[in-house]
Amino acid sequence: MVTAARPLAYPLSVRRLGPNWYAPVMGTAVVATAGAALPPHVPGLRGVLAGVWGLSFALLLTVLGARCAHWARHRDQARAHLLDPATAPFYGCLAMALLAVGGGALTVGRDVTGARAGVVLGAVLFVAGTVLGLAAAVAVPYLMAVRHRVEPGQATPVWLLPLVAPMVSAAVGPSLVPRLPPGQPRETLLLVCFALFGLSLLATLLMLPLVFARLLTGGPLPLALTPTLFLVLGPLGQSTTAVGAFADVAPGVVPEPYGQGFGALAVLYGVPVMGFALLWFCLATAHVWRARRHGMRFAMTWWSFTFPVGTCVTGAEALGRHTGLVAYTGPAVALYAVLVVAWGAAAGGTLRGLVRGELLAGPGPVPVVPRPATARTTSGAVR
């Protein structure tokens, strides 16, 4: 009876709708794009993936509309999100949601929209996502340095989100290269994507040691934040996907020996990075297993299990293409199964939270005992 009454006591409102709500869009879109490149051709799978992409597109429109309403009606809360070090990094999710749906439009989405409309939609979302991703990659670290006053002990993998957005652009952009006129337009876009790859990779290499040092010296993350450890897989899998995409289109676009050089980079970079991704996957899984035994319940951070794992699927698929080894195509299928299960768990928890009025509910009664200091990092961003 208490659960049934909660929606009345805590009415849903876009006031508490933070930028982290783009994560379901990303997680749904990657189920479609990662499945499209799987080696086995299962009858009827293409239609299912097209439907999943359609769902991600509908979710994108819904969240965009709700976020516009949030900015129009609750600007004080929107500004508070920007000034909150726990929430501001999620602004990178807007760019990645646009890019994830745009990348899907160029693959399985065209089965829904038509080939020409799919290319146009993919190009528009690629440009918008790239511009917003670059803005987030500059603005969020600037705010963290100037306005947020963060401490090393507050470092979490969430800090990586605005820095990974340009890497998503780097992975999606090569699909548009063959659609451009031959010559300088194609070469320019490919090298722009390569530059986006470099800036995101170097920025991630600067931030990742802070996250790892916090984990080793500060102890386990709070229970609700533990799933965010999977976010580290994002730049690893996405960068491997990107170099594989460069190698796919580079021959004939850039002069030799650079065309063949991209093929070598896909293997020489991708193999060790995916090895580290496997190590981190095991480490993050162990932390999540511990958190579940200590009572971790559903939070929006469960969407961290989806998009980063999806990038590892596409990264393994890229290595399978360029090495011809079953050692990569097999794990890609296994990781995709993990992705689908994770998406089901995150989607089910989100739907239950919305129906019960918990995820977008207004603040409840003030607790008698003050919350511990670490709870600050879970406000808004991980509800």
Side-chain angles (χ1 to χ4, degrees):
M1 296 299 294
V2 175
T3 301
R6 179 146 188 166
L8 298 177
Y10 301 93
L12 298 181
S13 170
V14 295
R15 179 173 177 79
R16 296 180 62 82
L17 188 82
N20 59 312
W21 278 85
Y22 288 109
V25 180
M26 298 161 53
T28 303
V30 81
V31 172
T33 54
L38 287 176
H41 298 286
V42 180
L45 178 61
R46 181 84 180 186
V48 173
L49 297 178
V52 173
W53 177 85
L55 174 61
S56 72
F57 185 50
L59 287 174
L60 176 64
L61 296 178
T62 301
V63 178
L64 281 173
R67 286 289 295 164
C68 288
H70 178 270
W71 273 93
R73 300 176 188 175
H74 307 290
R75 293 184 181 179
D76 60 326
Q77 186 72 2
R79 286 192 293 269
H81 284 165
L82 280 172
L83 297 178
D84 182 359
T87 308
F90 283 96
Y91 274 89
C93 290
L94 166 58
M96 289 188 282
L98 295 172
L99 292 164
V101 175
L106 297 170
T107 53
V108 294
R110 62 188 180 185
D111 295 349
V112 178
T113 64
R116 182 178 179 82
V119 172
V120 172
L121 178 61
V124 170
L125 292 179
F126 169 75
V127 172
T130 299
V131 171
L132 291 173
L134 289 172
V138 173
V140 175
Y142 174 81
L143 289 174
M144 292 175 68
V146 175
R147 300 294 299 273
H148 292 171
R149 298 294 187 269
V150 295
E151 299 177 358
Q154 297 172 320
T156 72
V158 172
W159 289 8
L160 295 170
L161 288 174
L163 306 178
V164 180
M167 188 66 79
V168 182
S169 294
V172 172
S175 298
L176 292 168
V177 169
R179 271 85 177 185
L180 295 178
Q184 288 206 10
R186 291 185 180 182
E187 184 176 356
T188 299
L189 178 57
L190 178 59
L191 293 185
V192 165
C193 292
F194 193 37
L196 292 170
F197 163 84
L199 74 88
S200 179
L201 176 64
L202 294 176
T204 298
L205 291 177
L206 290 174
M207 189 69 75
L208 189 56
L210 297 177
V211 175
F212 193 47
R214 155 66 183 87
L215 191 63
L216 293 181
T217 62
L221 294 175
L223 296 182
L225 283 175
T226 302
T228 64
L229 289 171
F230 276 81
L231 293 177
V232 176
L233 297 176
L236 303 177
Q238 199 66 271
S239 61
T240 305
T241 303
V243 293
F246 300 156
D248 290 339
V249 300
V253 173
V254 294
E256 296 300 339
Y258 304 113
Q260 296 300 320
F262 276 111
L265 178 65
V267 177
L268 296 179
Y269 174 87
V271 170
V273 169
M274 287 302 290
F276 180 67
L278 176 61
L279 169 67
W280 194 273
F281 181 89
C282 295
L283 177 65
T285 300
H287 275 266
V288 169
W289 182 260
R290 173 194 172 276
R292 284 292 287 174
R293 289 190 290 108
H294 284 75
M296 182 185 75
R297 301 178 62 187
F298 174 78
M300 286 295 289
T301 49
W302 280 33
W303 285 101
S304 302
F305 298 139
T306 57
F307 190 77
V309 173
T311 66
C312 290
V313 174
T314 55
E317 291 168 348
L319 283 175
R321 289 197 310 273
H322 291 285
T323 64
L325 296 177
V326 179
Y328 288 107
T329 55
V333 175
L335 282 172
Y336 187 73
V338 173
L339 169 63
V340 172
V341 172
W343 180 87
T350 302
L351 286 175
R352 286 192 299 271
L354 287 173
V355 170
R356 295 173 181 174
E358 297 170 349
L359 294 180
L360 294 178
V366 177
V368 177
V369 180
R371 294 179 183 270
T374 54
R376 184 179 67 83
T377 61
T378 64
S379 61
V382 299
R383 280 203 47 109

